[in-house]
Amino acid sequence: MSNSKIFKKVDEDIAKYGWHVLSVACEDSPSFSYTVGFEQTLSHPEIIMSGLGTELMHHLLNDIGELIKNGSSFKNGDLSNEVVKGFPVKFIEVKDSALSEYLRVAKAHYDNKGFRALQCVWPDKDGVFQTASNQDQEVLGKCI
């Protein structure tokens, strides 16, 4: 799909739903998905996830969008059991350097005016939130 078609689809989805979810499948590192439009329509930071299947992340990001639309709000360091029932996730602030590298379509959409982003990270099987990237999940901020 050409860049112009991608940006057209992003704009159409934001107008229709309030946001767009973009997924990037990777072979050498964890795949990731993120929102474009939360900042514009919900006055909430964009959300990015990594390391799960892109279809699952797409679904979870839409669920997060619905939570925000219905009054929830997430900020750096927040834990939530609402995203995945009975399974906590943590929201961490995404470093500015990662915005350009990972959220390129969002960066272009906001025309480099600046936007906020949080990463929704999930714990390992022992319930520990990782503090650095590994083969399962990129960490784009500092887990606190």
Side-chain angles (χ1 to χ4, degrees):
M1 186 180 287
S2 72
N3 282 348
S4 62
K5 287 183 182 178
I6 291 169
F7 292 119
K8 184 175 189 248
K9 175 72 171 144
V10 168
D11 290 342
E12 288 171 352
D13 284 354
I14 291 171
K16 185 173 183 178
Y17 305 109
W19 64 86
H20 175 83
V21 176
L22 191 134
S23 296
V24 179
C26 302
E27 290 183 20
D28 298 346
S29 62
S31 297
F32 60 97
S33 297
Y34 63 93
T35 63
V36 182
F38 282 4
E39 188 82 62
Q40 177 181 338
T41 62
L42 301 171
S43 299
H44 192 281
E46 302 299 340
I47 306 288
I48 184 171
M49 299 183 82
S50 76
L52 301 171
T54 54
E55 188 174 321
L56 175 58
M57 290 186 291
H58 189 110
H59 179 75
L60 291 172
L61 289 168
N62 278 328
D63 288 350
I64 291 170
E66 290 299 324
L67 288 169
I68 295 167
K69 198 165 134 180
N70 291 318
S72 293
S73 181
F74 304 103
K75 61 185 183 309
N76 189 39
D78 281 354
L79 291 171
S80 176
N81 287 314
E82 293 181 278
V83 176
V84 181
K85 301 296 181 211
F87 192 73
V89 297
K90 182 184 263 189
F91 292 88
I92 60 170
E93 187 175 6
V94 175
K95 296 176 188 173
D96 286 341
S97 59
L99 294 177
S100 296
E101 185 175 350
Y102 289 89
L103 288 88
R104 291 180 183 174
V105 171
K107 190 94 168 156
H109 175 77
Y110 291 111
D111 197 25
N112 297 314
K113 291 178 185 156
F115 63 96
R116 302 166 297 155
L118 296 169
Q119 182 176 8
C120 179
V121 296
W122 39 274
D124 64 18
K125 64 181 187 287
D126 297 319
V128 177
F129 290 96
Q130 66 194 60
T131 57
S133 299
N134 63 28
Q135 70 275 7
D136 295 326
Q137 182 175 203
E138 293 282 340
V139 177
L140 307 177
K142 182 179 179 191
C143 266
I144 54 176

